[in-house]
Amino acid sequence: MNEEILSFIWRFQYFEMSGLQTDEGQLLSVVRPGLKNANAGPDFSGSRVTIAGVNWAGSVEIHTKSSDWFQHLHESDNAYETVILHVVWENDKPVYRKDGSLLPTLTLKGLVHLSVIERYNKLIGETDEIPCSKSFDQVSKIHKLAMLDRSLLDRLYRKGSLVIDLLNENNQDWEETSYQWLTQHFGFKLNDPAFLRLSQILPLKTILKHRDNLLQVEALLFGCAGLIPEIKPDLEITEESAYPRELRREFQFLAAKYQLSQMQHHEWKLMRLRPAGFPTIRLAQLAVLISKSNGLFSTFTGTKDVSQLHQLLNLHQSEYWQTHFLFGKKSKTKVPFMGKDASNLLIINAAVPLLVAYSKQRQQPELLDKAMKWLSEIHAENNQITRKWEVLGMKVKTAADSQALIERYNGYCTQKQCLKCSVGMSLIRSR
Ligand code: SF4
């Protein structure tokens, strides 16, 4: 027995209610179990019970053993003075309030419908990666849809709060924050940390002063990234060495002017990548985006529909990077421009959370609706996690579906948080 299942039993009142008495022998009826409290303090608030004909309103605290009250030091915490009923599995020690009166206790052991505990133990004991897999087809569509809706909101708010954290670090500067957030996602997971660091040592304000000159924007990005190779001054100028030489010359001038620092080459991950995915190619595409956009923040939040975003992210890197994937390394075939899959990922992981964060900060729910609409217009991601859900019969059509299911899998299923999931609750409650 654990507090989580006890809370669930109390919340849905899965115990014998007729002739209910406190452990002290007083008649007890539950008018309202209360709302589960996600913050510090007693487990349920807004509870109402009648004990020996007297109505009580306050909080309910749940413990496996009544002595846990002392283990958790509630006796010295004023927040627990509001507790009107102590609900336990086992009453091994009486609890007294500060005024010396006995805190009424309800022991659930012997009262609980055993089938609920059996179903819970069975579900939690499953070793499948998605523990409810074997029973998933018994779950109604409505519970599955509720799970999807909840998961999508969880994911959007969680990612939105990461943007807000970055915004706070940037003193509420939305432009700088958008640039850092977007740049980070040009790392396409593998190089996210390196791209984020680059954006933090190279301020957007500095790049924008050179926005009209793509070569200078590239020099700033590649230079601060520490990726421009050293070129011996006496080396003959060839077609191959002209571009890196030019970049280095520009960067040396700009670095001295703005006192810029440089990253180390080893901070970049260059293994197991296709030419189009090399960070050098992504940097060249980012340079084009910064050069052509009229403010990243307004561009991304002001865009009306996904097709406009795709147009914006249809980025053609400069000539050198159409034939090279690293400095001095020629590609056998032409290096492609940014494709639809990559731009979809940027919309899902960068543009949508930005919009959600702005919606939250400005209290504009219509922006959240817009973010969700964007997701519903993009094809679902196809990865190991989405495929597991498809095996269970889930239709994973749009990015809204895939994002929700990835969140549920990572945040709930693998953590066995089934009691907080509408699918898990319906399975445990089903009779
Ligand atoms: S969290 Fe929900 S969907 Fe995931 S395994 Fe548990 S019951 Fe199933």
Side-chain angles (χ1 to χ4, degrees):
M1 184 49 62
N2 60 48
E3 276 180 27
E4 205 184 357
I5 180 73
L6 273 183
S7 286
F8 177 82
I9 289 165
W10 171 256
R11 183 176 165 197
F12 295 105
Q13 304 281 282
Y14 283 130
F15 49 90
E16 194 49 56
M17 305 290 281
S18 62
L20 196 62
Q21 291 188 352
T22 65
D23 291 4
E24 297 74 40
Q26 295 182 303
L27 276 182
L28 168 70
S29 64
V30 181
V31 182
R32 204 163 58 203
L35 292 174
K36 186 88 176 84
N37 181 15
N39 305 311
D43 294 313
F44 286 84
S45 56
S47 312
R48 294 176 75 105
V49 298
T50 304
I51 300 173
V54 179
N55 294 326
W56 293 84
S59 313
V60 166
E61 178 65 3
I62 311 278
H63 282 128
T64 311
K65 289 180 173 182
S66 59
S67 56
D68 291 342
W69 183 275
F70 303 100
Q71 289 272 0
H72 302 168
L73 306 176
H74 295 336
E75 75 279 15
S76 53
D77 186 340
N78 287 338
Y80 290 82
E81 286 294 292
T82 60
V83 174
I84 53 172
L85 185 67
H86 195 194
V87 176
V88 301
W89 184 249
E90 193 183 328
N91 188 350
D92 62 340
K93 191 168 184 176
V95 172
Y96 293 91
R97 298 189 182 98
K98 279 194 177 147
D99 65 4
S101 61
L102 188 64
L103 180 65
T105 302
L106 170 66
T107 297
L108 288 180
K109 192 174 182 178
L111 299 178
V112 174
H113 303 152
L114 285 178
S115 55
V116 171
I117 298 175
E118 279 165 14
R119 283 193 290 266
Y120 168 75
N121 285 335
K122 185 167 179 293
L123 180 56
I124 296 301
E126 292 288 358
T127 51
D128 295 323
E129 284 174 297
I130 299 177
C132 66
S133 296
K134 293 189 184 79
S135 329
F136 199 71
D137 56 355
Q138 296 165 23
V139 179
S140 71
K141 199 172 169 189
I142 197 154
H143 286 115
K144 290 176 184 170
L145 287 176
M147 181 262 273
L148 276 179
D149 287 350
R150 181 69 258 162
S151 304
L152 183 59
L153 282 175
D154 280 354
R155 187 164 186 89
L156 293 180
Y157 286 138
R158 188 174 60 72
K159 288 195 161 189
S161 68
L162 296 176
V163 177
I164 298 280
D165 289 347
L166 207 53
L167 182 70
N168 292 335
E169 283 170 28
N170 286 313
N171 297 320
Q172 311 304 309
D173 183 336
W174 273 107
E175 277 301 339
E176 201 68 40
T177 301
S178 306
Y179 155 70
Q180 289 180 5
W181 180 254
L182 189 68
T183 300
Q184 175 184 347
H185 289 90
F186 266 72
F188 291 89
K189 279 218 173 95
L190 187 65
N191 277 298
D192 279 7
F195 270 87
L196 177 63
R197 191 163 125 64
L198 172 63
S199 70
Q200 290 172 331
I201 61 168
L202 175 60
L204 177 66
K205 291 176 187 69
T206 305
I207 307 183
L208 289 181
K209 289 181 184 146
H210 301 273
R211 204 185 117 199
D212 296 338
N213 185 331
L214 182 61
L215 185 80
Q216 288 181 337
V217 174
E218 287 182 342
L220 285 165
L221 289 168
F222 284 108
C224 287
L227 292 172
I228 308 176
E230 291 285 347
I231 294 171
K232 291 190 186 121
D234 55 347
L235 195 77
E236 190 193 342
I237 301 177
T238 60
E239 202 184 324
E240 189 61 22
S241 68
Y243 171 74
R245 188 185 290 268
E246 190 74 351
L247 276 189
R248 176 151 287 280
R249 196 178 58 78
E250 288 287 355
F251 181 65
Q252 276 170 344
F253 169 75
L254 295 169
K257 183 174 178 183
Y258 298 114
Q259 313 239 303
L260 297 171
S261 53
Q262 277 180 267
M263 292 169 66
Q264 300 290 314
H265 196 281
H266 66 75
E267 292 179 66
W268 298 93
K269 295 196 169 62
L270 305 170
M271 303 291 281
R272 289 189 290 278
L273 287 168
R274 281 179 294 180
F278 266 76
T280 40
I281 305 301
R282 298 306 185 199
L283 278 175
Q285 291 166 344
L286 178 65
V288 174
L289 177 64
I290 295 173
S291 289
K292 79 174 187 180
S293 111
N294 252 331
L296 293 173
F297 172 63
S298 50
T299 304
F300 276 90
T301 53
T303 305
K304 284 202 176 62
D305 52 46
V306 167
S307 61
Q308 249 182 299
L309 281 174
H310 278 133
Q311 266 174 25
L312 181 77
L313 292 168
N314 180 19
L315 299 167
H316 296 196
Q317 66 273 18
S318 59
E319 217 177 317
Y320 182 87
W321 296 111
Q322 294 175 29
T323 50
H324 295 74
F325 56 91
L326 280 173
F327 284 101
K329 295 259 185 218
K330 268 203 157 184
S331 172
K332 285 183 190 132
T333 53
K334 191 176 177 220
V335 180
F337 301 138
M338 180 167 282
K340 191 91 180 265
D341 286 350
S343 68
N344 275 344
L345 285 175
L346 284 174
I347 296 169
I348 293 169
N349 295 316
V352 164
L354 204 56
L355 201 55
V356 173
Y358 192 53
S359 147
K360 198 172 164 196
Q361 208 224 24
R362 288 296 165 104
Q363 308 268 308
Q364 290 182 10
E366 63 277 13
L367 294 178
L368 177 64
D369 293 343
K370 184 158 94 169
M372 289 167 94
K373 186 167 172 287
W374 285 355
L375 288 178
S376 68
E377 288 171 4
I378 296 174
H379 276 305
E381 297 134 286
N382 176 0
N383 57 33
Q384 277 189 354
I385 298 176
T386 58
R387 288 194 288 274
K388 286 182 206 299
W389 288 106
E390 279 175 327
V391 168
L392 294 184
M394 287 301 279
K395 291 202 168 50
V396 193
K397 286 185 181 158
T398 71
D401 300 330
S402 53
Q403 286 283 289
L405 291 167
I406 291 167
E407 186 73 9
R408 181 65 30 158
Y409 177 82
N410 288 330
Y412 287 73
C413 307
T414 57
Q415 321 288 320
K416 298 206 169 182
Q417 295 289 313
C418 303
L419 282 175
K420 294 180 184 154
C421 166
S422 56
V423 168
M425 283 197 276
S426 80
L427 284 171
I428 293 167
R429 289 160 68 178
S430 63
R431 287 161 199 269

